[in-house]
Amino acid sequence: EADTMAARFLLSASLPLILLLSADAFHVSPFTGRLGNKVQTACRSPIITNQLNTRRSMSPSISRSSSPVVSMAAATEFDIKGYFGEKLPVVEDALKESMDVLPREWKYDSQAQTALDSMEYSLMAGGKRIRPILCLAAAEMCGGTVEQAMPTALATEMIHTMSLIHDDLPCMDNDDLRRGKPTNHKVFGDDMAVLGGDALLSYAFEYIARYTKGVPAERVLDVIARCGKCVGALGLVGGQVVDIQSEGKKDVTLETLQWIHEHKTAALLEFSVVGGGIIGGATDDEVKRLSKFAMNIGLGFQIIDDILDVRPMF
């Protein structure tokens, strides 16, 4: 019971703590100027307040005006729950359209229908859609629009869904259920699940290239290149490889564990935030800060996921 309560605390506290730990990613006047004026966060929580009071008691020189974290805690204009609630149905509709456009392009080619069914089954199975919504938020924060960033946002969810399809396979995690439904390979077979995931991955790149409008070509090219890296050997795939190789070992170092989490989980979250920022016109310095912020969120997510694996709460 104590472990479960601790896990629940960590889960509920995670976002404020991650933002607290990520504050140094915005060390250059983080909440002022072009980027900072739009970085408002709903972190007026007891956790942040207690952390700040502790820091002030340990170091009286820390004033309300000297710390970016203080600015974070004081800012209340941005309602993160409201933003997610507003953007979730928008993302869902756009994902549905991304699947509907395929049969229109294929002219309802019956030979391609099985691949589409496999793709759509998992992509439209629900979820929090955190990656695409973070992508949209980063784009808007940096001066872009939802319409400009939506293709990149949808691509992040396609890639994430591909990773779940492949993770569930018998040769990987061998899971029978995903979000309360039979996993892709249980419905379509192992072979079609592999191919359906592959199709989603390739479609992600196509979708960015084909449907991003009103954005300079060099930005789109940069986003596509970063997308490829986040999935490859120095991204999601690389993290999964080292994770598999580390299973059952008792001598896995903290550095190895962090490398796994940074690549298996955080790399795609980083691309989601940075990709949106680039679409919106982020400067090189802003891209660096967005990257550090997103990597910390990715690590936090993986920590929570590991806790839930050991001690399920629901």
Side-chain angles (χ1 to χ4, degrees):
E1 182 179 354
D3 290 343
T4 301
M5 291 177 63
R8 284 177 178 160
F9 171 79
L10 286 172
L11 183 62
S12 64
S14 61
L15 280 177
L17 286 173
I18 292 164
L19 289 168
L20 180 67
L21 293 171
S22 301
D24 64 342
F26 298 94
H27 59 280
V28 182
S29 300
F31 299 99
T32 59
R34 189 180 78 84
L35 175 63
N37 285 339
K38 298 181 181 180
V39 184
Q40 304 293 333
T41 182
C43 284
R44 206 174 203 180
S45 70
I47 297 166
I48 293 290
T49 303
N50 290 339
Q51 288 282 350
L52 293 173
N53 290 338
T54 301
R55 286 180 54 173
R56 289 196 194 100
S57 65
M58 294 174 62
S59 178
S61 63
I62 297 177
S63 68
R64 287 191 176 275
S65 60
S66 65
S67 171
V69 184
V70 176
S71 300
M72 281 176 55
T76 58
E77 291 181 17
F78 185 68
D79 177 7
I80 190 169
K81 289 184 178 180
Y83 187 86
F84 269 70
E86 173 191 340
K87 291 296 187 285
L88 181 58
V90 177
V91 169
E92 290 290 348
D93 289 345
L95 285 169
K96 184 65 169 64
E97 170 61 19
S98 75
M99 291 290 99
D100 290 345
V101 76
L102 284 175
R104 293 202 297 269
E105 290 189 352
W106 294 340
K107 296 180 174 58
Y108 294 93
D109 185 342
S110 61
Q111 301 300 318
Q113 192 60 45
T114 301
L116 173 61
D117 290 344
S118 174
M119 296 164 68
E120 187 170 17
Y121 177 81
S122 292
L123 186 65
M124 302 309 299
K128 297 178 288 295
R129 312 304 193 192
I130 288 172
R131 292 158 188 81
I133 295 176
L134 284 176
C135 181
L136 298 180
E140 290 191 295
M141 182 175 68
C142 294
T145 66
V146 167
E147 292 73 22
Q148 289 173 323
M150 188 60 79
T152 300
L154 300 188
T156 67
E157 193 68 14
M158 293 174 190
I159 293 170
H160 176 57
T161 302
M162 172 278 297
S163 72
L164 299 181
I165 294 173
H166 288 178
D167 276 352
D168 290 337
L169 288 167
C171 62
M172 300 286 278
D173 292 344
N174 193 24
D175 286 322
D176 295 339
L177 293 174
R178 168 73 63 178
R179 294 168 180 156
K181 298 174 61 177
T183 46
N184 196 290
H185 68 275
K186 286 296 181 180
V187 176
F188 298 96
D190 295 4
D191 47 4
M192 291 301 111
V194 170
L195 295 172
D198 291 347
L200 277 171
L201 177 60
S202 64
Y203 192 37
F205 290 92
E206 177 188 352
Y207 211 82
I208 296 172
R210 184 184 292 265
Y211 295 106
T212 304
K213 307 296 183 184
V215 180
E218 61 270 18
R219 291 189 201 168
V220 179
L221 184 60
D222 189 7
V223 167
I224 292 173
R226 289 171 183 268
C227 184
K229 182 178 180 181
C230 92
V231 181
L234 290 178
L236 190 155
V237 169
Q240 186 70 63
V241 167
V242 180
D243 187 23
I244 292 171
Q245 292 174 335
S246 301
E247 285 185 4
K249 294 184 178 179
K250 297 183 178 180
D251 59 347
V252 177
T253 65
L254 178 60
E255 289 76 14
T256 298
L257 182 63
Q258 182 164 341
W259 197 95
I260 292 170
H261 291 344
E262 286 178 349
H263 294 78
K264 179 182 175 181
T265 303
L268 182 54
L269 271 160
E270 181 197 22
F271 169 69
S272 302
V273 174
V274 170
I278 291 171
I279 290 293
T283 65
D284 290 344
D285 181 62
E286 289 167 355
V287 165
K288 290 178 182 177
R289 287 184 271 163
L290 288 169
S291 173
K292 187 170 184 179
F293 173 75
M295 289 298 288
N296 281 332
I297 290 179
L299 288 172
F301 266 66
Q302 188 58 56
I303 290 168
I304 293 169
D305 191 56
D306 288 346
I307 291 171
L308 295 178
D309 280 345
V310 175
R311 177 72 66 172
M313 297 188 301
F314 305 108

